[in-house]
Amino acid sequence: MDLPQMRNLLIERFFDYYACPPDWAEVAGILNYLARRWELHRNLKTSAPVGMGPELLGMVGRSPAMERLRKTIRKVAQTQATVLIRGESGCGKELATRAIHLCSSRADGPFIAVNCASIPPSLMQSELFGYEKGSFTGAATRKQGLIEAAHQGTLFLDEIGDLSLDLQANLLRFLQEKSIYRVGGLQSIPLDTRVIAATHVNLQEAVLQGRFREDLFYRLNVLPIEVPALRERRMDIPLLAQHFFDRCKKEHTGQPQGFAHSAMNALTNYDWPGNVRELYNRVQRALVMAEGRWITAEDLGLESFLKKPSIRLESARTLAEREIIQLTLTEVGHNVSKAARELGISRMTLYRLMAKHDLLQ
């Protein structure tokens, strides 16, 4: 094998190294991490029917919380009732809504997403309900509203808690009557639009504080769904991190081939206040900042979240030491001199270790 071939082999296959004598607890940790990476790649290569594999319509994760969410989505998608999705910012509420839409009989219809917090209250009425020509200054033509645009499809109202009380009343009227009036219009327009709302605030508290209509809350809360925060499904973090890495890698020409063990350690120990959105952003950052072949905790900006070795590490090292000595002694027929040579230590050191581990006969 020539030098270029050797170099390519090391780049593609070499992951880490340990000086002798190795720390067996650390070796076990890295082997566990490599096993998870192998399992991840195997899963990505294994085809499965749509909706039954590890990723349902873009929803990555194998944790019990995600399996429960998928099961709920499949049930909810078969109905036409309104849905209220609750969860922290960045946890994937819109993704859950799209999954409901695509699993439903409305999948071929339009999907319209509206962020109620991003549109000024003065414009929200005309944006949702549309307007007739000449209904106000600047209304040169008739405009179709977003509710009407979602006819025979799904309207997703994100951050519904930020909707003004006046608009809450108009939305309630639509949900009850299944028809709207455009701004400046006199004709009722019947519509078949399914509404799915989402919020990161507690709407029941908002009702008590007078910031949200109680009748609208109960009209929306027919089928409630809770999207779990990322810290509540930590076992999905390596899978999500790799998913985002593979997606973002196409846009970068850098060297990183994946995540170092320290990076995965920090990822799973961080609490993720920004949830999945923050994880995606940190992976993007790491691909830009990384200078080596493996993304580190420093590249992710999470170096302070590396898990410190616990007291149990010494116990694991002691157990591994005893097992190796016992195995070596068995292989050489309990010949202490041969065992010492095999282990690369002196006979006196081996006798001392045998006494320590109660292996003297």
Side-chain angles (χ1 to χ4, degrees), residues 74 111 149 168 187 195 202 210 225 255 271 275 315 322 326:
R74 292 190 187 101
F111 177 85
Q168 289 176 31
Q187 183 180 1
V195 173
N202 189 323
I225 293 179
Q255 293 298 318
D271 275 341
N275 291 293
S315 300
R322 186 182 193 280
Q326 191 172 31

Side-chain angles (χ1 to χ4, degrees), residues 70-355:
R70 290 192 182 102
K71 184 177 180 180
T72 302
I73 284 173
R74 292 190 187 101
K75 290 181 178 180
V76 167
Q78 305 309 311
T79 73
Q80 301 299 322
T82 54
V83 180
L84 180 61
I85 300 179
R86 294 171 294 194
E88 297 179 6
S89 295
C91 66
K93 296 188 291 294
E94 182 171 348
L95 209 58
T97 305
R98 288 184 181 274
I100 294 171
H101 173 72
L102 292 173
C103 288
S104 72
S105 59
R106 299 173 178 268
D108 294 332
F111 177 85
I112 306 294
V114 185
N115 189 316
C116 299
S118 65
I119 302 176
S122 58
L123 299 178
M124 182 61 82
Q125 176 79 17
S126 58
E127 287 295 317
L128 285 179
F129 295 91
Y131 54 80
E132 296 289 348
K133 178 180 178 180
S135 58
F136 55 85
T137 303
T141 60
R142 171 188 289 175
K143 180 183 177 181
Q144 185 183 67
L146 296 173
I147 297 177
E148 191 175 350
H151 178 57
Q152 295 186 330
T154 303
L155 176 70
F156 174 48
L157 296 175
D158 196 10
E159 303 302 348
I160 188 74
D162 291 327
L163 209 59
S164 68
L165 289 172
D166 290 341
L167 281 170
Q168 289 176 31
N170 291 339
L171 178 61
L172 176 63
R173 187 180 304 115
F174 162 67
L175 292 174
Q176 291 173 335
E177 300 175 4
K178 299 299 181 183
S179 63
I180 64 166
Y181 287 90
R182 298 193 187 103
V183 175
L186 301 176
Q187 183 180 1
S188 174
I189 304 171
L191 294 173
D192 175 24
T193 300
R194 184 182 193 180
V195 173
I196 299 178
T199 179
H200 74 280
V201 301
N202 189 323
L203 289 186
Q204 288 177 304
E205 289 185 4
V207 169
L208 294 175
Q209 295 168 4
R211 296 185 293 108
F212 201 83
R213 292 180 63 105
E214 184 176 18
D215 46 7
L216 178 58
F217 170 71
Y218 288 116
R219 177 65 67 171
L220 292 172
N221 199 41
V222 177
L223 294 171
I225 293 179
E226 190 79 30
V227 178
L230 187 54
R231 64 180 173 276
E232 297 171 359
R233 53 185 188 108
R234 290 184 186 275
M235 67 177 293
D236 291 334
I237 292 174
L239 196 66
L240 279 163
Q242 188 64 44
H243 173 75
F244 292 144
F245 174 85
D246 293 338
R247 180 195 294 182
C248 298
K249 178 69 174 174
K250 302 172 184 177
E251 304 171 6
H252 297 272
T253 57
Q255 293 298 318
Q257 302 298 310
F259 296 90
H261 180 56
S262 63
M264 279 298 178
N265 183 310
L267 284 170
T268 53
N269 284 307
Y270 184 53
D271 275 341
W272 298 106
N275 291 293
V276 179
R277 185 184 296 124
E278 183 184 1
L279 174 58
Y280 178 67
N281 292 340
R282 285 190 180 273
V283 171
Q284 280 189 309
R285 163 205 164 111
L287 279 164
V288 174
M289 302 301 294
E291 297 180 352
R293 289 180 51 243
W294 305 102
I295 290 174
T296 65
E298 289 77 13
D299 298 328
L300 291 160
L302 298 175
E303 58 272 22
S304 61
F305 290 90
L306 285 170
K307 187 176 181 180
K308 297 179 180 179
S310 65
I311 299 175
R312 291 177 295 177
L313 181 61
E314 183 61 33
S315 300
R317 184 182 294 113
T318 301
L319 180 61
E321 186 179 70
R322 186 182 193 280
E323 289 178 353
I324 291 172
I325 293 172
Q326 191 172 31
L327 178 62
T328 304
L329 286 169
T330 301
E331 288 179 346
V332 300
H334 291 274
N335 186 310
V336 176
S337 297
K338 289 183 178 180
R341 284 197 299 271
E342 289 290 329
L343 293 170
I345 57 178
S346 68
R347 289 180 62 202
M348 292 304 298
T349 299
L350 180 55
Y351 273 119
R352 180 176 56 81
L353 291 173
M354 289 171 67

Side-chain angles (χ1 to χ4, degrees), residues 22-46:
D23 184 323
W24 294 106
E26 290 186 8
V27 171
I30 200 66
L31 289 175
N32 285 332
Y33 171 55
L34 288 173
R36 290 198 302 270
R37 281 179 57 86
W38 175 84
E39 181 70 19
L40 173 63
H41 285 290
R42 190 185 71 168
N43 290 336
L44 292 175
K45 292 178 182 178
T46 302

